[in-house]
Each structure stands twice: as C-alpha cells, then as structure tokens.
C-alpha cells in the first residue's frame, strides 16, 4: 500500500517496478469499481482478474496497480465513523487549526506558512472525504449501492486470500479417465518392491499466478482495516515530498528536457531553485519547469507587441506602460527573443502553481501601496524578528492572485522541529501585525484584517485551551492593559458556543471559560503591543521596501533572500516596555477638524 500526497511518485514507482521485472502492468482506478447498477462493479473486478491471470500465464508475472484505492478498499457499511452534529475534529498540531482557502492561504492578504503538515491539512480541506451519514438503500432491484461501499471488495478479497479452482477442462478430463479405469477394473494402486504405484490421475492442481498487487492512496484512514492486515496490503510504503537535495536532483532531470538559459546550469542557481520549491511534489516541480516555457513565450510575444506600439507612437495603458518600463532593458540583450526557460519565467510559473495566476488589473495604485505596507510591515517584519530562526520567506508580493491582493509565504527551516511556545507566540504576532501596521501607518484598518484576527484568536485559543500555555509574566497593571487591548481585537467570528463545528469547536470551548478567555485576550494584547513597539522603532525600514515592491510587484529568489539577510532591525530593549499603543488601539476621529480647517489627524500619512 503506497501512501502519500498526490504527485509524489506512487504511480511512477509502480511503472518502474513493472519495467524492472519486465512484466506487464494493469493500471486501474478505484472509482472504476463504483457502479450505479447492481453487480456491475463485481463484473469489472472479475474481468480485471481474468485479464491479469491471462497476462500472468503469458508473461510469467503481472503487476496490478490500483490508484485511489480508498474507493475500492473503503470501510464497509457500519464501520464508518459517522460524524454527528456538534462533534469536532481532533486538533493534533498548530497547522490543523487554520481555515485554508483553495490556494492554501490562511487569510485574504495571502499569508501562508508552507509547511508539510499545513499542506496535508490544506489538502483535506480542499478535497474533503465523503462522509457516510447513513447506509444507502437499494430502492430498485437493478440499482447498486451497499452501505456506501463497492461490492467488488468481496471478490477482490477472495482473489487475494483464496485459492483458484483447477481448470474445468483439466478436472473433467482427469475425472473421466479415472472413471474409465474404474470401469475396466484397473486397481487404484500396486505395490512393487516396497513401492506404491498409483494407477489413477492425481487431482488437478489450481494454477499459480505470479501477480503483484500495488494500491495507492492519499487517505489511508478511509481504508478498511481488514485490507491492511498481513497477507493482504500489510506492507505500507509512505511517500513524502522531497527534500532540498532531492528537489535539486529532480529539477536537473526536467531541466535536461527543455531548452533553458545557460545561467540555470549554475550550481548555485540550481540550489536556489531547490530552496524556493520547498514543499512541492515531483509532479509540481515538473509542471513549474514545463509551464515556464509557455510563460516565456507569452512574455516575448507581449514585449514584441508593446515595442511595436511604442515605435508606432500608439499610447499604452497603465499595465502595458509598467511592463514596458520593467522589461525594456531586455531588448538590449542579443538573445532577448529566444524562447528558452529563464529565471523570471520559472518564478512566474512557480507563483502560478503555488498561489494561482496573477491578476494585475484587480487593484488600484492606492490600494497597492496600502497592500505593500500591510504585507511588509504587518507580516514580513514581525516574522523576521519574532520567527527568523525558524522560518525563511519564499515570496513577498503585492500582485493579486486568487482571492488575495498580496502575499507573504514562508517555509520552515527545519520541518521536523516542534513548535515551542515562543514560536507560536511569533506566529501570533505575525497574524496580529497586519492591523498594527495599518493603524500605525494609516490610522485605521480595513476589513481585510478580519481573517488575520480570526487566525490570531485560533492560535491563542489553541495555546491556552489545547497546549496548556499561559501568557508571559507581567505586572497586574500591565496585564490589565494587555487584557483591554486583547479584548478589542478578539475575533468572535463563528465561535457561538452552541454551534461548534469541525474548525472552531476548541475556540468556542476555550472562550466559554472566563479564565481561559482572559488568558487568550492577554496573549492577543501582548502580541499587539510587541508588534507595535517593533514597527514604531523600525518604521523607517518600510518606505524603501514598499517602493521596491511597487516597482517590481514581487520579491522572490535572490532578491528576497538579500532583503531577508540584510534587513537590520533595531531590537526591542527593556526601555521599550514603557511605550504603549494608545492611539493605535483607539484611533482619533478623522471627521472632526481643527480651527484652521485641517483634519485632526491626517489619515494615510506615513
């Protein structure tokens, strides 16, 4: 039984095994054994068995590979874990508490922690398993369905465990010959010199077919335990996403199959590509490289069209003008129109695979600037300071992709390390940072921070209600101020105590306890104040990076690593504890003006 996420090579390994054994392979899908009409799935299984045994007789061996095996080997009726209303799912890690969108982001601003456990949780939310709430009935004699599982599992079990019957012709021939010998009064056996000679044909033996069974699934918990016992699919092989060295080796294979710029053969460039593709499966790495060819072709075609428009004196729209200013220098290169894979094409393809296709026309310049401050000051800087030794960035973008107007994605430096309290507190500050940045730089915040606050509440509730963590030690007066700030940003979305769900049951339970609710608010308040003190002390770092983002839209690869490594943040000191964000907690009313007619506080001033 091969277990692992899609694209990690399960089918490829089965084909490689068949090639190594010089054996034919039968590849089928578990859904092929689900049928609307009664017994059709059994007939499909019997046909596959006849086909496999025929190939085994002809070639001496055969490989049978069943993809999406949970559709065939799923738990039978009465064995499903029926989820009733009000029950919640077990939360076993910090990554299973978030609510992911279709691109794996945990907030509309594109905040993403690209961790292997997060990708598993995201996969379960993107493609949830079908819940069997009640046994399916058979309303008419010709319609299938037997408690929600395939009837083909029964002949398949017999095939795996049982012994074949001898061939009918062989049995009939031996039976008639023995009957004829009985009629002729031929004795059954003779004793000759102490040896016994039998004068009857022995019973026909069942054929021995050399068949190798492989099944692949990414949802092993749905498979019937009876199918995973020794003697059936008792050996489980787990497939995981490749590490950095493996990704570099996989990329070398697919780079050899496409025309690419000579700079991509540089070992340092290959290692950089392996670093930015962390968490991707081999199939996704192949897609990134192959799609880069199309992105490069589109890039060249658009550059030619804009150059022709400029030479003809036709006006350019805003996006075309920006594209021309950004890439016009490529025309000075002798091979600018060569359709090979370049680093820029790879990064665009990678961003599309991870986060969706870019949509540059979805936002205005004013909103792009606000998004840049939101992403850099609100998420990037807090993660650099509070979690820099645990995470590194892979993209910082203000290019709209999917439902996000911008994006900050980070990956763990070491995926297998546990998350102690100070790491979770760092993630909490990364989530809270967006509202702090918007209030610090613009004196108010947009509704887009709602998901960040919901994620922050989830993290704090998990720390208090699940992991037994408490707020850091502080004085009674400081705790009172932290509590007041935390209550102002506590998210109560979808946390009704009488309506628990799979994703927020522990939040409702934690906030239902007055003492634990107070600890959650104190954690949120401490996070808000710490981020405010950090941004207030380092606010001069934001404008240059914001201008670079406005010019480039995205920072990836070497540009992002340069920013990450050279960013000099002034650390928080003991005297910074005297600074409290009173104005940012309750911003001044902008609708009242001074005597001279100016606003009481200029919203949007940086």
């Amino acid at each position: 039984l091969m277990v692992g996420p899609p694209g990690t090579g399960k089918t490829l390994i089965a084909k490689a095994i068949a090639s190594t054994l010089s054996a034919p392979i039968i590849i089928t899908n578990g859904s092929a054994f689900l049928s609307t009409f009664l017994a059709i799935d059994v007939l499909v299984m019997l046909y596959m068995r006849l086909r496999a045994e025929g190939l085994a007789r002809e070639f001496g061996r055969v490989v049978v590979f069943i993809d999406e095996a949970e559709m065939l080997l799923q738990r039978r009726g009465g064995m499903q874990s029926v989820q009733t209303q009000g029950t919640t799912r077990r939360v076993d890690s910090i990554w299973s508490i978030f609510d992911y969108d279709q691109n794996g982001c945990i907030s509309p601003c594109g905040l993403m922690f690209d961790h292997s456990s997060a990708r598993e949780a995201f996969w379960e939310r993107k493609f949830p398993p079908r819940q069997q709430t009640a046994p399916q009935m058979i309303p008419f004699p010709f319609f299938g369905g037997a408690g929600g599982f395939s009837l083909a599992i029964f002949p398949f079990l017999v095939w795996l465990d049982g012994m074949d019957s001898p061939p009918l012709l062989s049995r009939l021939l031996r039976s008639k010959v023995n009957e004829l010998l009985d009629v002729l009064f031929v004795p059954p056996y003779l004793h000759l010199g102490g040896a016994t000679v039998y004068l009857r044909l022995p019973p026909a033996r069942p054929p021995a077919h050399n068949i190798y069974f492989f099944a692949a699934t990414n949802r092993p918990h749905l498979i019937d335990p009876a199918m995973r016992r020794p003697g059936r699919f008792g050996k489980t092989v787990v497939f995981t996403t490749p590490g950095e060295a493996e990704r570099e080796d996989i990329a070398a294979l697919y780079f050899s199959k496409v025309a690419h710029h000579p700079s991509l053969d540089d070992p340092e460039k290959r290692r950089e590509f392996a670093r930015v593709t962390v968490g991707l499966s081999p199939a996704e790495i192949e897609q990134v490289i192959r799609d880069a060819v199309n992105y490069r072709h589109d890039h060249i075609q658009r550059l030619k069209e804009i150059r022709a428009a400029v030479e003809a004196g036709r006006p350019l729209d805003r996006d075309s003008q920006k594209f021309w200013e950004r890439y016009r220098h490529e025309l000075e290169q002798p091979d600018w129109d060569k359709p090979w894979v370049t680093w820029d094409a790879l990064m665009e393809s990678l961003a599309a695979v991870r986060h969706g296709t870019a949509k540059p026309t979805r936002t205005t310049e004013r909103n792009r600037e606000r998004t840049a401050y939101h992403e850099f000051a609100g998420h990037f800087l807090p993660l650099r300071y509070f979690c820099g030794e645990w995470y590194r960035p892979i993209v910082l973008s203000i290019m709209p992709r999917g439902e996000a107007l911008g994006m900050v994605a980070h990956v763990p430096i070491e995926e297998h390390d546990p998350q102690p309290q100070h790491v979770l507190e760092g993630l909490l500050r990364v989530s809270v940072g967006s509202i702090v940045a918007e209030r610090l730089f613009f004196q108010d915040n947009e509704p887009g921070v709602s998901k960040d606050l919901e994620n922050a509440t989830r993290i704090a509730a998990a720390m208090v209600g699940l992991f037994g963590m408490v707020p850091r030690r502080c004085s009674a007066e400081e705790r009172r101020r932290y509590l007041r700030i935390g209550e102002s940003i506590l998210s109560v979305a979808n946390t009704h105590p009488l309506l628990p769900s799979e994703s927020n049951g522990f939040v409702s339970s934690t906030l239902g306890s007055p003492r634990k609710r107070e600890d959650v608010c104190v954690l949120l308040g401490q996070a808000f104040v710490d981020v405010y003190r950090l941004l207030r002390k380092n606010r001069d770092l934001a404008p240059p990076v914001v201008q670079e983002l406005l010019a480039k839209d995205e920072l990836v690869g070497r540009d992002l690593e340069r920013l990450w490594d050279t960013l000099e943040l002034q650390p928080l000191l003991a005297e910074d504890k005297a600074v409290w964000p009173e104005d940012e907690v309750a911003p001044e009313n902008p609708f009242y003006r001074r005597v001279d007619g100016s606003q009481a506080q200029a919203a949007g001033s940086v």
Side-chain angles (χ1 to χ4, degrees):
L1 182 65
M2 301 179 180
V3 177
T8 50
K10 299 185 292 294
T11 305
L12 189 63
I13 286 293
K15 293 179 180 179
I17 292 174
S19 298
T20 303
L21 297 176
S22 299
I25 182 172
I26 296 177
I27 300 178
T28 185
N29 194 285
S31 60
F33 303 99
L34 297 178
S35 175
T36 303
F37 297 98
L38 186 63
I40 295 297
D41 46 0
V42 177
L43 294 178
V44 173
M45 176 59 69
L46 294 178
Y47 171 77
M48 186 179 74
R49 177 175 180 176
L50 292 175
R51 182 63 176 160
E53 291 177 350
L55 291 173
R57 286 193 299 269
E58 181 179 356
F59 294 94
R61 64 188 67 85
V62 67
V63 173
V64 176
F65 177 76
I66 304 174
D67 200 6
E68 297 184 12
E70 71 276 2
M71 305 296 290
L72 171 64
L73 311 180
Q74 61 183 309
R75 297 170 182 262
R76 288 162 284 177
M79 300 182 65
Q80 287 91 347
S81 56
V82 180
Q83 185 172 3
T84 59
Q85 185 176 4
T87 59
T88 59
R89 180 181 178 181
R90 177 180 175 85
V91 178
D92 53 3
S93 73
I94 191 66
W95 309 113
S96 58
I97 71 173
F98 296 115
D99 186 16
Y100 299 88
D101 67 6
Q102 61 180 356
N103 295 316
C105 300
I106 62 175
S107 68
C109 67
L111 183 62
M112 172 187 290
F113 298 101
D114 204 337
H115 190 279
S116 59
S117 299
R119 292 175 69 86
E120 292 178 6
F122 154 58
W123 175 260
E124 288 295 329
R125 284 163 172 77
K126 185 175 182 180
F127 302 104
R130 296 182 302 173
Q131 295 292 335
Q132 182 66 31
T133 57
Q136 296 180 1
M137 304 302 294
I138 305 178
F140 297 102
F142 301 105
F143 288 89
F149 66 95
S150 173
L151 291 174
I153 191 174
F154 298 113
F156 188 60
L157 286 173
V158 174
W159 188 13
L160 287 178
D161 296 339
M163 182 177 294
D164 289 342
S165 299
L168 177 61
L169 184 60
S170 177
R171 285 183 294 160
L172 183 62
L173 178 62
R174 289 169 182 265
S175 174
K176 295 304 180 182
V177 170
N178 289 336
E179 288 180 4
L180 178 61
L181 293 176
D182 290 339
V183 170
L184 297 177
F185 298 101
V186 176
Y189 56 87
L190 296 175
H191 294 286
L192 299 176
T196 302
V197 178
Y198 291 94
L199 302 179
R200 296 292 186 273
L201 295 178
R205 293 185 177 182
H209 299 113
N210 195 11
I211 302 177
Y212 300 88
F213 291 96
F214 294 90
T217 180
N218 49 59
R219 292 171 179 152
H221 56 280
L222 297 181
I223 293 182
D224 193 330
M227 301 302 301
R228 302 187 66 176
R229 70 162 177 80
R232 293 173 181 168
F233 290 99
K235 181 173 292 186
T236 300
V237 180
V238 179
F239 287 69
T240 60
T241 53
E244 184 172 325
E246 290 82 4
R247 292 194 301 273
E248 186 175 351
D249 187 49
I250 293 169
L253 170 65
Y254 293 118
F255 273 128
S256 65
K257 298 182 179 181
V258 298
H260 56 274
H261 195 276
S263 63
L264 296 180
D265 291 327
D266 181 35
E268 180 59 32
K269 209 68 173 178
R270 292 289 179 90
R271 284 191 291 270
E272 184 177 354
F273 181 76
R275 288 194 296 270
V276 299
T277 53
V278 62
L280 296 189
S281 67
E284 290 172 321
I285 295 175
E286 179 186 10
Q287 181 182 355
V288 168
I289 296 176
R290 293 190 181 278
D291 287 354
V293 178
N294 298 329
Y295 283 106
R296 175 61 179 172
H297 176 78
D298 295 341
H299 176 84
I300 295 174
Q301 187 64 26
R302 187 179 183 188
L303 194 57
K304 289 180 178 179
E305 293 174 355
I306 295 178
R307 184 184 66 170
V310 171
E311 292 175 350
R314 296 194 300 269
L316 301 177
D317 57 35
R318 182 175 63 89
D319 293 330
S320 298
Q321 181 65 35
K322 186 175 181 179
F323 182 89
W324 175 250
E325 293 176 356
R326 184 176 180 182
Y327 296 109
R328 62 187 301 178
H329 67 278
E330 294 184 1
L331 298 175
E332 302 174 359
Q333 302 174 3
D335 52 3
W336 69 272
D337 58 346
K338 194 166 185 177
W340 54 16
V341 175
T342 63
W343 180 255
D344 290 339
L346 280 175
M347 293 301 100
E348 178 62 27
S349 178
L350 175 63
V353 169
R354 281 189 182 275
H355 319 301
T357 306
K359 302 174 182 178
T361 60
R362 283 189 50 203
T363 184
T364 63
E365 286 298 323
R366 180 180 179 181
N367 201 23
R368 290 177 70 249
E369 181 180 4
R370 189 169 189 129
T371 302
Y373 277 100
H374 178 111
E375 302 296 348
F376 177 72
H379 294 311
F380 191 90
L381 284 181
L383 197 138
R384 176 66 178 87
Y385 185 80
F386 296 109
C387 294
E389 61 178 310
W390 295 82
Y391 292 88
R392 66 167 180 256
I394 56 175
V395 61
L396 172 61
S397 171
I398 58 172
M399 179 75 74
R401 294 180 183 274
E403 299 299 324
L405 295 179
M407 183 161 295
V408 175
H410 292 76
V411 295
I413 296 176
E414 177 51 61
E415 289 191 356
H416 303 291
D417 283 350
Q419 292 89 32
Q421 179 170 346
H422 72 274
V423 177
L424 300 184
E425 288 176 324
L427 299 180
L428 180 61
R429 282 150 179 77
V430 172
S431 296
V432 171
S434 59
I435 189 173
V436 180
E438 291 195 11
R439 290 185 180 180
L440 180 63
F441 288 98
F442 299 97
Q443 286 71 55
D444 58 9
N445 62 273
E446 294 183 343
V449 303
S450 61
K451 198 65 178 181
D452 290 328
L453 297 182
E454 183 180 342
N455 290 327
T457 303
R458 288 174 182 266
I459 296 174
M463 293 172 62
V464 174
L466 297 178
F467 307 143
M469 300 174 181
V470 296
R472 298 295 181 178
R473 185 170 59 249
C474 59
S475 65
E477 175 61 21
E478 289 176 335
R479 183 179 178 89
R480 183 189 64 80
R481 301 181 77 171
Y482 287 138
L483 178 61
R484 181 177 66 87
I485 296 174
E487 287 177 341
S488 69
I489 62 174
L490 177 70
S491 174
V492 294
N494 302 321
T495 57
H496 194 285
L498 299 181
L499 297 174
S501 67
E502 178 180 337
S503 60
N504 60 38
F506 73 95
V507 179
S508 302
S509 302
T510 303
L511 298 183
S513 170
R515 178 62 182 177
K516 291 184 179 296
R517 181 187 179 94
E518 180 178 328
D519 285 345
V520 169
C521 292
V522 171
L523 283 173
L524 291 172
Q526 289 178 338
F528 188 99
V529 173
D530 286 350
V531 175
Y532 169 76
R533 291 167 177 168
L534 176 71
L535 297 186
R536 182 177 179 273
K537 197 169 186 178
N538 296 274
R539 65 184 303 163
D540 293 339
L541 297 177
V545 179
V546 167
Q547 294 304 316
E548 185 177 3
L549 275 174
L550 293 175
K552 296 183 177 180
D553 292 329
E554 289 183 337
L555 295 180
V556 294
R558 185 167 298 176
D559 291 339
L560 189 58
E561 290 189 359
R562 172 188 53 79
L563 174 63
W564 183 262
D565 295 334
T566 60
L567 198 61
E568 296 182 358
L569 286 168
Q570 298 185 40
L572 296 178
L573 304 176
E575 53 266 25
D576 294 323
K577 292 184 177 181
V579 179
W580 289 87
E582 300 296 343
D583 293 337
E584 281 65 31
V585 175
E588 190 172 346
N589 193 333
F591 299 106
Y592 290 86
R593 298 180 178 273
R594 297 190 180 95
V595 178
D596 58 2
S598 62
Q599 287 185 338
Q601 187 161 347
S605 61
V606 178

